[in-house]
Amino acid sequence: MSTRKAVITGVGGYVPEDVLTNHDIEKMVDTSDEWILTRTGIKERRILRGKDQGTSVMGAKAAAEVLRKTNTDPAEVELLICATTTPDMIFPATANLIANEIGAINSFGYDLQAACSGFLYALTTAAQFIEAGTYKKVLVVGADKMSSIINYEDRATCIIFGDGAGAVVVEATEEPYGLMDSVLRSDGSGAPHLHLKAGGSRRPATLETIMAKEHFVYQEGGAVFKYAVKHMADVAATIMERNELSSENVAWLVPHQANKRIIDATANRMGLDQERVMYTIHKYGNTTSATIPLNLWEYESQLKKGDNLVLAAFGGGFTWGATYIKWGYDG
C-alpha cells in the first residue's frame, strides 16, 4: 500500500498596497473605528485599484512568489486550482489566466468556488490528485478581489472584506508529513443568509438589477455569525477527535479570518490559547479564499517541520470544513 502523501513545500502571498482603514470607512457609512474593531477585530484592509486589475493579478503574484521560493520551474506545475469567489470573468477560468501569466504551460487548471471555504476544498482536491499518483506537483491559489462586489454604502458588509491572494505548492512525499485528514461540509439552505442576488443565470444583469444594487454581497450578519461559530468549531473539534489530537499537540490553529469572535470561539473549543492561533484579520480583513494561505504566508517563519496544524473555515452557501496538516518543513 502506497504511503504517498501530499505536502505543502512552500507558501506565497500578495496584498495590494492601498490600505482602507476603519477611519476611511467612517467617512463612507455611519460607523466607528471602535465599533468595527470591537465587533470584528478588523483595523484595516487592502484594496486592489486600477483599470483591468482583477483577481488573477493578485493570484499570479502570489503564485510567482511561491514558485521562486521553492525553486520550481513553472513548466513543472501539472495542475493549478484557483479557489475564488471573484473570478476575473465567467470564463475563461481565473486559474487559466494565472497559469498563462506565470508560464505554467504544461498545467491544466480550473476555478473552485466554495466562498470562504474554497482554499480548503481546493487543497483537499489537490491532495487527492497527488495521493492517487496522478500528479506530483500542484499549485493551489486562493485569491479574491472582494472590493469588486462590495457596496461601500452598506455598513453590514463594507467593514469586513478586503483583497488579497495566497498560494501553495503541493508535492508528493513518502515522508509522514502533509495533509493527513479533512472534514468538508456544505448546506445550501444557508444561501438566503449570505449570497450575491444577481449576475448569475437565475438573475442575469439588467438595468433593474444594477439600479437595485443586487450585484453586491448580501449578508444577514446575525444568522451567519451563529452558524459560523457552531459549525467551524464543530469541524475543528471533529478533526481533532478522529486524529487523536489534543490541545497540547496542536501547534497552530489556522482559521478563516471573518470575525475575531468566531476565531476565538473555535480556539476555545479546541482548548488553544491565542499564542497558537494565527491572526491576520486586523491587517487584511476577510479576503475570503485568500485568508488561510495568507495566514500561512505571514506565519511561515514560525512553523516547524512536524507541527500539527488545524485549518478551519466557514463560508457563504453555507460551506465549512477543517483540515489537519502535519507541516513538512522548517520556516
Side-chain angles (χ1 to χ4, degrees):
M1 183 176 178
S2 175
T3 58
R4 185 184 300 111
K5 288 287 185 184
V7 65
I8 292 174
T9 56
V11 185
Y14 175 79
V15 290
E17 291 183 1
D18 283 351
V19 177
L20 182 67
T21 69
N22 290 347
H23 294 297
D24 294 328
I25 292 180
E26 285 177 340
K27 302 171 186 177
M28 302 176 181
V29 294
D30 182 16
T31 190
S32 70
D33 172 64
E34 181 183 7
W35 191 92
I36 297 171
L37 187 59
T38 301
R39 300 286 292 181
T40 69
I42 301 170
K43 294 182 180 179
E44 58 188 39
R45 63 292 289 149
R46 302 298 182 94
I47 304 296
L48 181 66
R49 304 187 192 277
K51 185 179 180 181
D52 297 328
Q53 298 293 292
T55 294
S56 67
V57 171
M58 299 184 292
K61 289 181 182 294
E65 183 190 37
V66 71
L67 294 180
R68 176 185 57 77
K69 286 167 64 176
T70 56
N71 295 314
T72 300
D73 183 341
E76 296 176 2
V77 176
E78 298 163 287
L79 167 62
L80 195 160
I81 306 173
C82 179
T84 186
T85 300
T86 55
D88 283 32
M89 55 192 83
I90 298 298
F91 67 89
T94 299
N96 297 346
L97 300 177
I98 293 171
N100 180 66
E101 180 67 24
I102 65 175
I105 57 175
N106 294 316
S107 69
F108 89 94
Y110 58 87
D111 292 353
L112 191 155
Q113 209 290 69
C116 300
S117 306
F119 182 78
L120 290 191
Y121 280 38
L123 183 62
T124 303
T125 302
Q128 297 299 310
F129 277 105
I130 287 175
E131 290 172 10
T134 309
Y135 300 118
K136 295 180 180 178
K137 201 178 296 284
V138 180
L139 187 59
V140 179
V141 178
D144 271 302
K145 184 183 178 181
M146 291 304 294
S147 63
S148 67
I149 56 171
I150 294 300
N151 178 3
Y152 285 93
E153 296 177 354
D154 176 15
R155 67 176 181 178
T157 56
C158 73
I159 66 172
I160 299 170
F161 295 97
D163 304 338
V168 297
V169 171
V170 186
E171 300 186 61
T173 182
E174 297 294 328
E175 292 188 291
Y177 305 105
L179 196 152
M180 312 301 286
D181 193 15
S182 281
V183 178
L184 303 176
R185 298 283 186 264
S186 63
D187 180 1
S189 70
H193 304 297
L194 180 53
H195 63 278
L196 203 67
K197 292 180 181 293
S201 59
R202 180 183 294 189
R203 290 180 58 78
T206 64
L207 179 60
E208 288 73 22
T209 64
I210 294 170
M211 295 300 292
K213 299 182 178 179
E214 294 184 345
H215 295 264
F216 297 119
V217 171
Y218 171 80
Q219 175 172 282
E220 296 172 0
V224 174
F225 180 84
K226 186 183 299 183
Y227 271 85
V229 166
K230 173 175 170 37
H231 291 300
M232 194 162 132
D234 282 352
V235 287
T238 298
I239 206 86
M240 289 179 68
E241 290 167 8
R242 76 186 202 183
N243 290 280
E244 299 182 347
L245 297 171
S246 68
S247 58
E248 287 74 29
N249 60 23
V250 172
W252 293 97
L253 168 63
V254 189
H256 171 55
Q257 307 284 304
N259 185 298
K260 187 176 183 295
R261 292 181 295 160
I262 297 172
I263 297 170
D264 291 345
T266 303
N268 289 338
R269 178 75 176 274
M270 298 170 64
L272 299 181
D273 52 48
Q274 290 195 351
E275 286 68 32
R276 288 184 287 160
V277 181
M278 296 186 183
Y279 291 100
T280 55
I281 190 169
H282 56 295
K283 296 197 295 185
Y284 305 140
N286 182 352
T287 55
T288 308
S289 300
T291 62
I292 287 178
L294 282 176
N295 282 345
L296 296 174
W297 179 59
E298 285 272 335
Y299 284 80
E300 182 183 23
S301 64
Q302 300 182 50
L303 300 178
K304 305 299 181 186
K305 189 172 185 177
D307 277 353
N308 291 322
L309 276 56
V310 174
L311 288 55
F314 183 90
F318 288 131
T319 64
W320 66 99
T323 297
Y324 165 35
I325 289 177
K326 190 170 283 291
W327 196 247
Y329 62 95
D330 291 327

